[in-house]
Amino acid sequence: MQGGGDRDSFSSKFGVLAALAGSAIGLGNIWRFPYVVGQNGGGAFLLIYVIFIAAIGIPVMMSEFMIGRSAQLNPVGAFKKIAPGTKWHLAGMLGVVSVFIIFAFYTVVAGWTLEYVIQSVKWILFPDKFGFASMDNVALTQFFSNHYESFTSGTWRPIIWFLVMMFLTGYIVISGVKNGIEKFAKILMPIFLVLLLILVLRSVSLEGGREGLVFLFKPDFNTIKEAPFRIILEALGQAFFSLSIGMGTLITYGSYIKRKENLAGTAVSVVVADTSVAIIAGLAIFPAVFAFGIDPGEGPELVYKTLPVIFQNMAGGLIWAFMFFLLLCFAAITSTISMLEVIVAYFSEQLNMSRKRATMLSMISVGVLGIICTASDEVFGLFNASPDLMLPLGGFFIVVFIGWFFSGEKSRQELSSDGAFKIRYHRLFMFLVKFVAPLAIAFLFALGVYSKVISIFPSLG
Ligand code: PFF
C-alpha cells in the first residue's frame, strides 16, 4: 500500500506542532544537552550549537518535511518513489538503522526516568528512613549520586523500566497516529514547560548559582582547544539529535502533514521551541551544578544527580521530583513514539506487514538491543555516541538530495504548498541546502571523525 489515499495524517495545525515538538523535545534537551554542554566547556559549545541549529538544522528539517510530504511514505519508500532506480533509498536505510540504535539506548534512559518517578514516591513517603532532614546539599548530592550508581549498575531494574517504556510506546503507536500522539502531547507538554520554568527560578536563586550562568553563556574558546574537531562534531550531532533530524524521523512525520500546512513556518516553530527548552534546561541545571559543587563534566549522570538536590531545596521537596520525572517520562515517550513510528512505517509499507505485526517485530528487535545496552556500559556508550556520527551523515544525504536532485520546481511547490504561501526565502534556502549545509557537514565530519572514533575506542589511538 504505497502512498495510498487512506494514510493517516495530523488533524490540525496545533496537532502537527504538538507532535513535532513532542518528537524534538525530550531527553535530548533535558538529559543529553546539559551534560554534553558541561563536558565540552559551556558557553563556546552553546554558541557553536546555536549556529548549527540555525544554519544547518532548519534547512535539514525543511528538507525532511519536503521529502516526506511529497512522497507520502517512510524514509526508504520516499527515496524510492522520488528517485526510482537510484541508490538514494540507501540514505533512507541509513536513517532507519540510526533510529534503531537511538531508540534502544534512548528508551533505556527513559527507563531511568521511570525509576526516579517510582523512587520519588518512596522518598516522599518515608523521608525519615533516608534521613533527608539531616542532610545538607553535599550529603544530598552524595545520596543521589550513590542512588544513580547502584541503580544503573544493577541488573533487573534497568531492564524492567526499559521494557515498560518500550511497551508503553508500542501500545500508543498501535493505537494510531492521531489518537495516539496528538491527544497526549497537547496537554502535557505545556505543563512540563511550566515545571521547568519553576525549576529555573529556584536554581538561579541558589547561592553561588551565578557562576553557572557564566559557564553556560560566556563563550571561552580555550575550553574547546583540547579537541576542537571532536567537540564541534559533537555540537552538530547534538543539534541533529535534539531536533530529531538526520535519520528520517521527520520524513515520516512529514508524510503525515497535510498539504495546506506551511513547512518552513512549521520547521522554524519546532526549532525555536526545541532550542528554547534545551537552553531553559541549561538554566535549570548549571546554576545548581555550581551551587552544589558538582563537576559540570560529570557525564550522563549529571541531571540525575543534580535535579533531585534542587527539588530538596524547594518547598514541597521531592513532590516536585515526582511530577517532574513523570512529565519527563512523558516527554521521552512522545520522542520514542516518533522513533517507533519510523520503523513501523518502514516495515509496514516496504515489507507489507500489518501495523500491529510491524510494531511487535520492532519491539522484539529493539528490545534485544536495549537489554544489551543496560548490561554493558561499553555498548551503551557506543550507542549514545552514534548520533554524533550517523546523524550528520544522514543529514548530509538529505540536503544534497534536496539541493541537487529534487527539482527547483518541485521544491517551490512543496515549500509554497502549491502556491498558497509566499516563499521569498527560497533562494536563501536553496543556497543553504546546495552549498552551506553539505559543505559544512562534510568538512566537520571529515575533521571530527577521527578524534570522535578515538574518544569511543581509546585503544585505537
Ligand atoms: N529529539 C529527541 C530528544 O531530543 O529527546 C530525540 C530523538 C527523537 C532522536 C526522535 C531521534 C528521533 F528519531
Side-chain angles (χ1 to χ4, degrees):
M1 191 204 64
Q2 296 218 339
D6 56 346
R7 252 175 140 263
D8 226 337
S9 67
F10 294 126
S11 59
S12 68
K13 194 180 164 84
F14 189 71
V16 174
L17 286 176
L20 289 167
S23 171
I25 299 170
L27 296 166
N29 308 61
I30 312 291
W31 161 71
R32 203 172 187 274
F33 174 80
Y35 97 72
V36 291
V37 171
Q39 274 180 335
N40 291 318
F45 184 88
L46 178 62
L47 182 65
I48 299 168
Y49 175 83
V50 171
I51 293 172
F52 287 162
I53 290 274
I56 303 178
I58 294 177
V60 174
M61 187 179 286
M62 287 167 66
S63 301
E64 289 202 29
F65 288 163
M66 292 162 74
I67 296 172
R69 194 174 65 174
S70 68
Q72 291 289 298
L73 282 167
N74 66 86
V76 176
F79 280 109
K80 280 194 173 159
K81 181 167 173 188
I82 303 174
T86 66
K87 293 258 179 283
W88 276 106
H89 63 275
L90 294 177
M93 212 51 232
L94 173 72
V96 175
V97 173
S98 308
V99 171
F100 253 103
I101 294 174
I102 293 175
F103 190 12
F105 85 82
Y106 193 92
T107 310
V108 170
V109 182
W112 300 352
T113 307
L114 202 54
E115 158 79 11
Y116 278 72
V117 174
I118 311 287
Q119 287 300 327
S120 309
V121 176
K122 273 205 221 157
W123 292 330
I124 295 165
L125 291 179
F126 310 107
D128 298 340
K129 189 173 151 208
F130 301 101
F132 288 134
S134 62
M135 290 185 193
D136 58 7
N137 285 339
V138 177
L140 283 169
T141 309
Q142 194 56 48
F143 174 85
F144 289 114
S145 169
N146 290 347
H147 179 76
Y148 174 90
E149 300 298 339
S150 76
F151 162 66
T152 49
S153 60
T155 309
W156 292 108
R157 287 219 310 270
I159 294 185
I160 291 168
W161 299 143
F162 158 73
L163 291 175
V164 171
M165 293 307 278
M166 206 183 59
F167 283 116
L168 264 174
T169 308
Y171 171 76
I172 298 171
V173 165
I174 286 186
S175 72
V177 176
K178 265 182 269 180
N179 309 338
I181 305 168
E182 290 176 30
K183 203 167 63 189
F184 292 94
K186 277 184 204 173
I187 312 166
L188 295 178
M189 296 303 279
I191 303 180
F192 183 56
L193 192 64
V194 172
L195 224 58
L196 203 56
L197 288 170
I198 295 174
L199 200 57
V200 171
L201 288 181
R202 184 62 194 108
S203 183
V204 295
S205 60
L206 286 167
E207 207 184 309
R210 260 192 72 89
E211 222 184 307
L213 297 179
V214 173
F215 177 81
L216 181 61
F217 290 122
K218 192 161 172 236
D220 169 5
F221 286 91
N222 284 322
T223 55
I224 65 167
K225 233 173 34 196
E226 215 175 286
F229 297 122
R230 174 182 60 76
I231 291 175
I232 292 171
L233 188 62
E234 281 180 17
L236 188 64
Q238 174 60 24
F240 276 61
F241 181 78
S242 189
L243 296 177
S244 305
I245 57 178
M247 69 215 104
T249 302
L250 298 191
I251 294 182
T252 312
Y253 268 23
S255 74
Y256 305 134
I257 301 180
K258 294 209 166 104
R259 285 211 72 77
K260 62 176 203 287
E261 307 290 350
N262 181 350
L263 296 184
T266 306
V268 171
S269 313
V270 175
V271 167
V272 169
D274 183 70
T275 309
S276 309
V277 173
I279 293 175
I280 293 171
L283 277 169
I285 306 284
F286 287 108
V289 163
F290 282 83
F292 304 148
I294 297 171
D295 171 13
E298 189 83 55
E301 56 266 53
L302 185 67
V303 299
Y304 287 97
K305 283 184 181 172
T306 312
L307 287 175
V309 187
I310 312 179
F311 295 127
Q312 266 300 24
N313 278 271
M314 290 165 61
L318 292 169
I319 294 175
W320 292 101
F322 173 74
M323 291 195 294
F324 183 87
F325 285 117
L326 193 62
L327 287 169
L328 182 55
C329 251
F330 173 76
I333 288 189
T334 55
S335 300
T336 52
I337 290 170
S338 70
M339 298 178 209
L340 183 55
E341 189 60 46
V342 177
I343 307 176
V344 169
Y346 168 69
F347 281 160
S348 61
E349 290 169 349
Q350 298 312 117
L351 310 176
N352 275 320
M353 274 179 213
S354 71
R355 273 185 72 90
K356 213 174 186 157
R357 263 192 88 151
T359 308
M360 302 289 187
L361 187 64
S362 326
M363 295 207 317
I364 294 171
S365 33
V366 171
V368 173
L369 290 181
I371 290 174
I372 299 175
C373 270
T374 63
S376 153
D377 286 351
E378 284 73 31
V379 176
F380 179 85
L382 184 65
F383 280 25
N384 186 13
S386 70
D388 299 334
L389 295 170
M390 297 184 72
L391 304 187
L393 201 60
F396 174 81
F397 292 122
I398 288 162
V399 279
V400 169
F401 183 75
I402 289 290
W404 298 92
F405 291 88
F406 201 78
S407 76
E409 188 41 41
K410 255 169 82 185
S411 114
R412 279 182 176 283
Q413 251 176 21
E414 269 315 314
L415 290 176
S416 70
S417 291
D418 307 309
F421 300 105
K422 285 216 173 72
I423 49 167
R424 258 168 279 159
Y425 57 80
H426 191 246
R427 284 181 60 181
L428 171 66
F429 171 76
M430 287 313 284
F431 179 67
L432 290 174
V433 290
K434 269 189 157 145
F435 303 107
V436 178
L439 288 175
I441 298 173
F443 184 69
L444 299 174
F445 191 83
L447 290 175
V449 72
Y450 176 73
S451 58
K452 180 70 200 171
V453 171
I454 296 296
S455 79
I456 309 174
F457 303 105
S459 57
L460 296 177

